[in-house]
Amino acid sequence: MIIKLINKTKVIIENKPISSYFVFALISSIILNFGIFKDYAFRDAYEYIWTAKNSHTFMNEFVQGGRFLLGIICKIVYGYLCDSISDLKWVRLFSLVTSVIFSTQIFSFLLKQKLKIYETVLFSFLILTIPSFTVYIGWTATHEIPLILNIAFYSGLLLLKVPDKKKNVILIYLFALFLILICLCIYQPAATAVIIPFVLSVVISKNFVLKKAIKFIAFLGIAFIFYFLIFKLSLNWFGLEPTKRAEVEILKIPFNVILFYLKEMRTLLYGSGILIFPALFFMIGAFSFFGFFYSIFQKRTNISQFFLFMPFLILVFPLSYAPNILSSANYLCARTIAPAAVLLFFYQFIFLRELCIKKNLFKIPVLILAITIIIISSLNQNIYIAKIQNKEYLAIKKAYNNISLDDRKKIIIIKPNENFLQEFKFYKRIYADEFAQVSSSRSWVPKPMFNQILKERLDALGIKKSDFSPNDIEVYGAQEKYEENNTIVINLIEILKNEFEQN
């Protein structure tokens, strides 16, 4: 009976590999990321779910950052589709599904590149363990990024097929450009995923054509120019000034490229081990990354092509990170670096694959490594994001809901420091502003968090918000002084200390 079932499954996979992979990846991802179904918001989502309904200037931040289409999307998602913190779990599920679709696109593409099906399954699924995707799935405020990665990757596929088309070449380029402009107007760092199909194809085939590379780079450059014009027009339309991070400083670009190799590239080598066994994963990551280039060097045949191919493989990383390198304000985080992370991970995968082909003894260690990465990625999601955010939300919700609705005093909220969890030794490590941090440590979070929790409390009681509103809400840091007269002081530091000390 079991043998028949296995054989039947094998036939289904062989006949319908793409749909079979999608179902497998979707079910597995839901199981591995079960924490996203808990109630929590996570940083910016607290602000968005409140201000989308209650602020006339909600769109301004997005327009000033060059993301006016994202502002429209967030207005719909937070202003109309989500009414409570609990509703946000469905947005996270949407992000999970679109992440799996991106993984499926990679799977389909690699199958056509003649990789073996089990190799393709392994790499495509492991993409979902990269910290960038852990953040996209667990943080509602980044729900749009996997969708943009899908669109940009599809655009790259269109461009890759253009040389084979004799008709409608201009239309294909224009359609691809239109798609990339949409991506740039939503979330700029994800738009560079357009180059992923080309890089993957040349790495597999070892057939680097400079003309094709120039076409992709030129296409991306033209897209950035058109996007910049759209950005300026949107600022003029809304009568706003750009934010600091949306400004471009040409003179800083060489410095930013060097900084990228020293900081971002080094961080990418940790992979999913950014918090768990970081030293071990850094060594494995560095070994497999530099091993890839060593193997390319060993296999060189055409010297002239080699000296074009090798620089391209190295320089494609800052190109994939171009929106951040062009920006005057650049900071390290997983959510902005997905295209570069996918490329680096593919280099590592190809090297380890070749090791396994050369010597069978590497197969078991590599398989163990893959399983370990999947487990650690699940821990990153369910402990370092979902568990922390859920515990924080429930503790603060309880404290806020204990305030008497008859009391109209001014409310003072004492927020924790950014490294609160590490300061009190609840967690050892931290990564950027995405893992192992409490949301209320950011100055802009406690106030909308309070208002949203109060709103949901009043809705449950059938009371209009206008019937109860505190005179004022102020947020202070742990060391800042404030007047306690005729106020209600909510010390989030003590509340969270008690909550996290319990387990």
Side-chain angles (χ1 to χ4, degrees), residues 299-502:
K299 293 176 182 177
R300 68 192 185 282
T301 52
N302 187 322
I303 297 298
S304 60
Q305 189 186 50
F306 170 78
F307 282 108
L308 290 173
F309 186 35
M310 188 70 85
F312 172 78
L313 292 175
I314 297 171
L315 293 174
V316 75
F317 286 102
L319 177 65
S320 70
Y321 199 62
N324 300 77
I325 287 174
L326 292 171
S327 174
S328 59
N330 186 17
Y331 51 91
L332 180 64
C333 57
R335 61 189 178 274
T336 62
I337 204 167
V342 171
L343 293 177
L344 183 139
F345 188 56
F346 188 69
Y347 290 8
Q348 294 170 320
F349 175 81
I350 289 296
F351 172 71
L352 294 175
R353 170 181 173 266
E354 290 180 357
L355 279 184
C356 294
I357 292 172
K358 288 179 181 178
K359 292 187 179 181
N360 285 331
L361 63 90
F362 284 106
K363 288 184 178 179
I364 298 300
V366 168
L367 182 60
I368 293 172
L369 175 62
I371 294 171
T372 304
I373 289 172
I374 292 170
I375 294 170
I376 288 179
S377 173
S378 182
L379 294 175
N380 286 341
Q381 181 69 267
N382 298 307
I383 293 178
Y384 292 101
I385 293 182
K387 181 181 179 182
I388 290 173
Q389 301 307 317
N390 175 250
K391 284 172 68 71
E392 177 190 28
Y393 169 67
L394 294 179
I396 293 177
K397 179 181 179 181
K398 182 179 178 181
Y400 284 174
N401 283 343
N402 283 336
I403 297 173
S404 172
L405 294 178
D406 297 325
D407 209 327
R408 302 298 180 93
K409 295 179 181 178
K410 181 168 76 172
I411 292 174
I412 290 178
I413 300 173
I414 312 300
K415 74 174 187 66
N417 295 324
E418 291 182 10
N419 63 340
F420 164 78
L421 295 174
Q422 291 70 37
E423 179 185 351
F424 292 99
K425 303 188 186 308
F426 297 119
Y427 291 89
K428 187 177 181 180
R429 298 182 182 89
I430 195 170
Y431 180 75
D433 55 358
E434 300 159 328
F435 294 92
Q437 285 199 21
V438 290
S439 295
S440 55
S441 63
R442 297 306 193 271
S443 58
W444 66 86
V445 171
K447 190 170 181 178
M449 181 192 286
F450 177 89
N451 283 322
Q452 180 62 28
I453 291 172
L454 174 62
K455 179 255 182 194
E456 292 182 25
R457 180 185 179 188
L458 296 178
D459 285 348
L461 296 172
I463 302 173
K464 293 182 180 179
K465 178 72 169 67
S466 57
D467 293 339
F468 175 80
S469 181
N471 294 330
D472 197 9
I473 303 171
E474 294 181 2
V475 179
Y476 290 87
Q479 307 303 321
E480 294 179 306
K481 295 182 179 180
Y482 54 88
E483 294 290 334
E484 293 190 39
N485 296 332
N486 198 36
T487 61
I488 297 173
V489 178
I490 306 174
N491 192 328
L492 298 185
I493 299 173
E494 293 303 318
I495 291 169
L496 294 177
K497 275 179 64 178
N498 293 334
E499 180 65 23
F500 282 92
E501 280 173 354
Q502 291 177 12

Side-chain angles (χ1 to χ4, degrees), residues 84-355:
S84 67
I85 298 296
S86 182
D87 291 338
L88 296 179
K89 64 170 66 72
W90 305 115
V91 182
R92 292 191 288 270
L93 178 60
F94 169 81
S95 185
L96 184 148
V97 172
T98 50
S99 294
V100 170
I101 292 173
F102 177 74
S103 171
T104 306
Q105 277 208 82
I106 296 281
F107 174 81
S108 175
F109 177 74
L110 293 180
L111 272 186
K112 293 173 184 176
Q113 300 298 311
K114 306 303 181 184
L115 262 64
K116 293 180 180 178
I117 191 164
Y118 66 86
E119 296 170 343
T120 308
V121 168
L122 186 59
F123 175 75
S124 303
F125 186 73
L126 285 176
I127 281 178
L128 298 170
T129 69
I130 293 174
S132 297
F133 286 90
T134 303
V135 172
Y136 303 153
I137 295 170
W139 185 3
T140 318
T142 63
H143 75 277
E144 75 286 348
I145 303 178
L147 179 62
I148 300 310
L149 290 172
N150 275 291
I151 296 172
F153 187 87
Y154 175 70
S155 300
L157 293 178
L158 290 177
L159 295 177
L160 205 57
K161 295 174 183 177
V162 166
D164 300 328
K165 303 281 186 181
K166 293 184 179 179
K167 295 181 180 179
N168 302 323
V169 171
I170 295 176
L171 287 177
I172 293 172
Y173 272 115
L174 289 176
F175 182 57
L177 179 63
F178 172 72
L179 292 178
I180 292 301
L181 289 175
I182 289 175
C183 294
L184 288 168
C185 291
I186 297 176
Y187 194 79
Q188 304 95 328
T192 55
V194 66
I195 66 173
I196 292 178
F198 175 69
V199 179
L200 266 55
S201 66
V202 298
V203 168
I204 294 170
S205 67
K206 302 293 189 297
N207 181 27
F208 176 70
V209 180
L210 181 60
K211 187 177 179 180
K212 286 186 179 180
I214 292 173
K215 281 184 178 180
F216 268 84
I217 295 170
F219 174 84
L220 207 50
I222 292 170
F224 282 157
I225 292 170
F226 274 101
Y227 162 71
F228 185 75
L229 294 175
I230 293 171
F231 174 41
K232 289 299 182 182
L233 287 172
S234 67
L235 288 173
N236 185 63
W237 178 269
F238 285 89
L240 298 169
E241 293 295 323
T243 58
K244 177 66 178 174
R245 67 182 181 183
E247 295 176 354
V248 177
E249 293 186 11
I250 303 296
L251 296 178
K252 283 187 65 178
I253 292 176
F255 171 76
N256 287 344
V257 171
I258 294 170
L259 193 64
F260 168 78
Y261 283 113
L262 295 176
K263 187 173 67 172
E264 279 88 346
M265 279 290 288
R266 179 173 57 85
T267 304
L268 285 177
L269 294 176
Y270 288 96
S272 294
I274 50 175
L275 298 171
I276 303 172
F277 307 128
L280 174 62
F281 274 88
F282 180 81
M283 288 189 291
I284 295 172
F287 168 73
S288 54
F289 178 66
F290 291 110
F292 166 79
F293 286 98
Y294 179 70
S295 68
I296 294 290
F297 176 77
Q298 277 191 318
K299 293 176 182 177
R300 68 192 185 282
T301 52
N302 187 322
I303 297 298
S304 60
Q305 189 186 50
F306 170 78
F307 282 108
L308 290 173
F309 186 35
M310 188 70 85
F312 172 78
L313 292 175
I314 297 171
L315 293 174
V316 75
F317 286 102
L319 177 65
S320 70
Y321 199 62
N324 300 77
I325 287 174
L326 292 171
S327 174
S328 59
N330 186 17
Y331 51 91
L332 180 64
C333 57
R335 61 189 178 274
T336 62
I337 204 167
V342 171
L343 293 177
L344 183 139
F345 188 56
F346 188 69
Y347 290 8
Q348 294 170 320
F349 175 81
I350 289 296
F351 172 71
L352 294 175
R353 170 181 173 266
E354 290 180 357
L355 279 184

